Amino acid sequence: MGFIIVVLLVISALGADFLATHDPFRMAPRQRMLDPSAEHWLGTDQLGRDVYSRVIYGGRIALWVSLTAVSLSLIGGLILGMLAGYGPRWLDNLLVLVFDAVRSFPTIMFALAMVTLLGPSIPTIITVIVVASIPVYGRIVRIQTLSMKETEFVLAERALGAGPVRILFSHILPNVIGPLLILASMEIPVVITIEAGLSFLGLGVRPPTPTWGSILQDGYQYIRDTPWLVIAGGLPLILTTLGFTFLGEALRDAFDPKLNRH
Amino acid sequence: MTDLLAIQGLRVRFRTVGFVRALIDRIADPYIDAVLDVSLKVRRGETLGLVGESGSGKTTLARAVLGLVPVHSGSINVAGRELVGLKESEYRAVRRELGMMFQDPVASLSPRKNVRNLLAEPFHIHGIRGVDTEAEARRLLSIVGLHQGFLTAYAHQLSGGQARRVGVARTLALKPKMILADEPTAGLDVSVQGEILNLMNELQRQFGLSYLIVTHNLPVIRHVSDRLAIMYLGRLVEQGSTRSIFAKPAHPYTQALLAAVPQPDPDKRRDQLELKGEIPSLRRRPPGCEFHTRCVHAQARCRIEPPGPIPLGDGREVRCHFPLV
C-alpha cells in the first residue's frame, strides 16, 4: 500500500513535464478561481494558474527536498554516530553535547533563524533540515555502535588485526543500516511537512515556484471563495505522509522478524 | 630461546568509577586489578592450561596478550619481542602471529558476512596480495574438516561446532605461531567438544602450534595441556606440569578445584573439600594470602603476610605459606 503510493509519487515527480496539463507558471487573469473542470482538473488559483499542474510540480519539489535532506542527514548521522560510538571518549562526549544542543532548538525556530540569516531558498531549507535531523540518526548509530563495540565478533576482528575503518565500515555498518533506513523512510514525510510548513509561512521556497505549502497558503487566503485550493494542497501532503509511513512500517516488519507475530 | 610467550609481572586494571564520582565518594583507588602480578611462560609447541573460576581474570589475561585490553604494567614477550607499549598500529603485525578463539563460537563471527568472506578477510586485513582467497578459503575449510558447501553459509546458519571450526580456520589463515583459546569447548555438546579438541591436537602436530587454553573445564584440560596455571582473583596461585598438579595439588585452592570435579564412579568416595563462601570482591582484596577467607588450612600468618611464589622441587611454583606437598 505504502509502496504503491510512493511509486506513484515518484512517477508523478519524474514525469511532471508529461503529466502536467498546463504550464504551472502561466497566469490567466480571466480564468481566476475556477472550479474543477475537464480543462482544469483541480480548478485554477487566484492568478488563474492550473492547480493540478502546480500540485504535480509541487510534488517534485517536495520529493527532491525531502530525499536530498534525508539522505544527507542519514550519511552525516551515520558518520558522526559511528565516530562518537567507536572513537575516543572525549569525542563521544563532544558529539553528544552538540547533538543535544541542536535538538534543544525547536526545528521551526531554528529554521526561522536560518532563513532570516541566509534568505529563503531550497538549499537553505535542506541545510536546516539536515542540521536538525543529523542528531536523530547520529544518536541511534552511536548507541548501536557502542553496544556492538564490545561484542565478540568485533573483538575477533581486532584480534585478527583489523583496523577501526574496516571494523566500522565492513562489520558495524551492515548491522546498523537496517534500522536506519526504516527511520529514514519514516522521516521523509516529516521533512515534507517541514518544507510545506516553511513554504506556508512564506519562509521556504520562493514564489512563484509551486510547492504544496504555498498552494495551501493560497488556499488559506481564499478559503471564503473556494475550498479547492486547500484540498489540492492538503490531500497530496496527507497521502504522501501516509505512504512513506506505511512503507517505513513495512520495511521495519521486513527487517525485524521479531515484530512479525500477527 | 624456547619460550614463545613470556609474561612477567603483568598487571591489568580497570576503572570502576568515573573521575568525578571517585572525588565525590572519596574513593582513593577507583581501579580494580583484574590481573595482578602474573608471570608465566609458554614454550614452543606446548599447551598451557589457564584455569580458574569465573571472574578470576583468565579471559582478561588472554585478551591482554593480544592488546585488546590495555596493560597497566609488566611485560609480555612473544618470540623475543616486547608487546607492552606497542602502538595499536604496531600491534597488527603481532596479531598475525597470535590467533585467538573467543568464547562464543557463533557470536565471534561477523553476522552479515558469509564464510567465504570471513575466511578471505585475514588476507585483506594484512594486505596480503597474490593469494587466491577462494582457494585459500577452500583449503582452510578442508583443514578444519568442513564441507565446501559451508562457503556460502552465514554465522546464524552454523551450529556451535561448525562455527568453532570456521573460527579456527580464520585464525589459521595467517599461519600463527600460537593460539589463545578462550573456553574453546564452552557451549558445545560433549561429542563436539571431543572433535574440537582432537582438531586442535591435530593442528598442533601439523603446524607446531603453541596453545594457551583458558578454561574451567578440568577434565578437558587434563587431557590436552602439558602444563597448568591456576588463577585466583587475578593472581596465579599455582603452576606446574599438569601431571604433577593432578597427582598432588600443592595449593589448597587447586585441591578444592580438583575435588569439585564430578567423578564418573558413584562408589568412589572422595574427601569432600568444599570451598567456603563466595569469591571475594576484586574491589576489596583480602589482606595477607587472598585465599585465606575460603581456605580450610588458613592460619594466623595467612591473614597478614602475602605469600610469594615458592618454587617446589618438581618445577612447580605455588603461592602458599603451607603448600600441601
Side-chain angles (χ1 to χ4, degrees):
Chain A
M1 170 73 181
F3 186 68
I4 296 168
I5 298 179
V6 170
V7 167
L8 286 179
L9 186 73
V10 171
I11 290 174
S12 82
L14 289 179
D17 296 333
F18 305 103
L19 289 168
T21 51
H22 292 77
D23 177 352
F25 297 102
R26 211 193 62 218
M27 292 180 264
R30 257 177 288 165
Q31 297 178 333
R32 290 170 44 216
M33 317 295 276
L34 294 179
D35 280 349
S37 63
E39 171 69 18
H40 299 287
W41 295 356
L42 287 172
T44 57
D45 66 5
Q46 76 281 5
L47 297 172
R49 296 174 294 196
D50 180 55
V51 175
Y52 166 73
S53 305
R54 287 181 66 76
V55 167
I56 293 287
Y57 277 96
R60 180 183 263 188
I61 302 265
L63 212 61
W64 184 57
V65 169
S66 59
L67 287 181
T68 316
V70 165
S71 35
L72 284 180
S73 38
L74 182 85
I75 294 167
L78 200 60
I79 290 171
L80 291 182
M82 289 200 302
L83 274 181
Y86 204 78
R89 189 72 183 273
W90 63 265
L91 187 65
D92 184 23
N93 289 340
L94 182 77
L95 284 170
V96 168
L97 191 74
V98 173
F99 287 173
D100 286 347
V102 171
R103 287 308 290 169
S104 65
F105 286 103
T107 308
I108 278 290
M109 294 301 291
F110 178 61
L112 287 178
M114 291 291 283
V115 167
T116 316
L117 275 173
L118 301 172
S121 72
I122 293 181
T124 311
I125 299 180
I126 292 178
T127 314
V128 167
I129 293 169
V130 168
V131 172
S133 42
I134 278 182
V136 179
Y137 301 98
R139 277 185 185 165
I140 291 183
V141 175
R142 171 179 170 269
I143 290 294
Q144 297 253 349
T145 309
L146 273 180
S147 69
M148 233 169 278
K149 192 175 171 179
E150 296 301 323
T151 53
E152 291 215 328
F153 78 85
V154 169
L155 280 174
E157 292 303 325
R158 285 182 60 201
L160 276 176
V165 175
R166 170 176 292 273
I167 290 175
L168 280 177
F169 285 95
S170 106
H171 296 282
I172 290 181
L173 183 70
N175 291 294
V176 297
I177 197 81
L180 219 57
L181 286 177
I182 297 162
L183 181 73
S185 81
M186 292 193 166
E187 277 283 304
I188 287 176
V190 176
V191 169
I192 292 180
T193 6
I194 291 177
E195 182 266 320
L198 286 174
S199 300
F200 180 81
L201 291 172
L203 297 165
V205 183
R206 290 216 118 143
T209 314
T211 71
W212 295 344
S214 55
I215 295 171
L216 266 178
Q217 167 67 15
D218 294 343
Y220 163 74
Q221 282 182 10
Y222 294 93
I223 195 148
R224 283 154 190 272
D225 305 311
T226 171
W228 288 108
L229 279 177
V230 175
I231 294 171
L235 205 61
L237 203 54
I238 293 170
L239 280 177
T240 311
T241 312
L242 271 177
F244 275 106
T245 310
F246 284 155
L247 181 69
E249 285 177 356
L251 278 179
R252 188 191 58 201
D253 291 349
F255 268 103
D256 191 354
K258 272 170 276 177
L259 279 167
N260 254 340
R261 45 180 139 79
H262 301 295
Chain B
M1 175 134 188
T2 53
D3 291 333
L4 184 59
L5 172 69
I7 297 176
Q8 254 325 309
L10 186 72
R11 184 174 182 186
V12 178
R13 332 194 276 177
F14 292 117
R15 203 178 178 105
T16 53
V17 287
F19 176 72
V20 180
R21 244 329 260 295
L23 274 182
I24 294 170
D25 294 351
R26 291 171 194 284
I27 300 169
D29 182 15
Y31 294 97
I32 55 165
D33 291 303
V35 174
L36 188 55
D37 194 17
V38 165
S39 303
L40 58 80
K41 286 181 172 134
V42 181
R43 298 190 196 95
R44 282 181 204 278
E46 182 186 58
T47 301
L48 176 75
L50 190 58
V51 178
E53 279 170 282
S54 303
S56 60
K58 328 180 281 281
T59 298
T60 306
L61 175 60
R63 289 183 180 181
V65 173
L66 272 163
L68 300 177
V69 292
V71 168
H72 176 256
S73 59
S75 134
I76 301 172
N77 198 303
V78 171
R81 184 166 177 198
E82 178 59 44
L83 304 188
V84 174
L86 281 190
K87 281 194 235 107
E88 181 71 20
S89 53
E90 297 169 320
Y91 234 110
R92 292 183 62 177
V94 176
R95 289 176 181 151
R96 253 184 100 156
E97 294 177 359
L98 300 174
M100 177 127 189
M101 288 160 65
F102 287 83
Q103 255 182 52
D104 185 332
V106 176
S108 57
L109 300 178
S110 193
R112 307 240 169 183
K113 301 257 174 217
N114 64 20
V115 171
R116 176 182 280 119
N117 289 332
L118 286 172
L119 290 177
E121 205 183 8
F123 300 104
H124 296 313
I125 288 174
H126 291 276
I128 301 169
R129 278 160 219 273
V131 176
D132 180 0
T133 52
E134 177 71 22
E136 272 299 299
R138 286 172 187 277
R139 189 182 66 86
L140 289 166
L141 273 190
S142 71
I143 290 179
V144 298
L146 280 181
H147 187 258
Q148 308 290 321
F150 284 105
L151 279 175
T152 52
Y154 287 85
H156 63 94
Q157 295 165 328
L158 299 174
S159 72
Q162 290 160 353
R164 178 55 86 209
R165 285 168 191 268
V166 172
V168 173
R170 250 156 82 80
T171 54
L172 285 179
L174 299 168
K175 302 192 175 67
K177 298 192 175 94
M178 179 173 188
I179 291 182
L180 298 105
D182 190 355
E183 302 279 8
T185 56
L188 302 177
D189 289 348
V190 179
S191 60
V192 183
Q193 285 186 10
E195 289 172 20
I196 295 295
L197 292 171
N198 287 340
L199 173 66
M200 288 174 68
N201 222 328
E202 175 63 28
L203 297 174
Q204 182 165 43
R205 274 200 305 123
Q206 214 174 327
F207 301 106
L209 289 170
S210 304
Y211 284 121
L212 190 145
I213 299 180
V214 172
T215 186
H216 54 239
N217 191 333
L218 288 163
V220 160
I221 206 68
R222 177 176 196 166
H223 287 288
V224 298
S225 70
D226 304 309
R227 287 193 310 120
L228 278 186
I230 317 286
M231 242 180 147
Y232 185 73
L233 282 186
R235 282 185 206 274
L236 290 187
V237 292
E238 179 168 1
Q239 56 176 317
S241 79
T242 307
R243 189 172 304 164
S244 63
I245 288 180
F246 269 92
K248 199 96 184 80
H251 196 284
Y253 179 65
T254 317
Q255 191 186 33
L257 274 186
L258 297 186
V261 175
Q263 290 298 315
D265 181 359
D267 294 331
K268 196 173 167 189
R269 289 258 159 240
R270 341 185 64 208
D271 338 323
Q272 282 299 309
L273 247 175
E274 280 173 24
L275 283 177
K276 307 182 289 184
E278 285 286 304
I279 187 165
S281 164
L282 284 170
R283 275 194 211 207
R284 211 177 273 269
R285 287 175 176 275
C289 170
E290 287 165 349
F291 187 58
H292 83 251
T293 54
R294 301 168 81 188
C295 182
V296 285
H297 308 283
Q299 299 184 23
R301 185 181 168 199
C302 303
R303 292 181 188 92
I304 305 154
E305 195 187 327
I310 303 162
L312 299 178
D314 49 1
R316 272 200 276 175
E317 254 186 25
V318 62
R319 267 182 203 273
C320 182
H321 292 302
F322 310 102
L324 302 170
V325 281

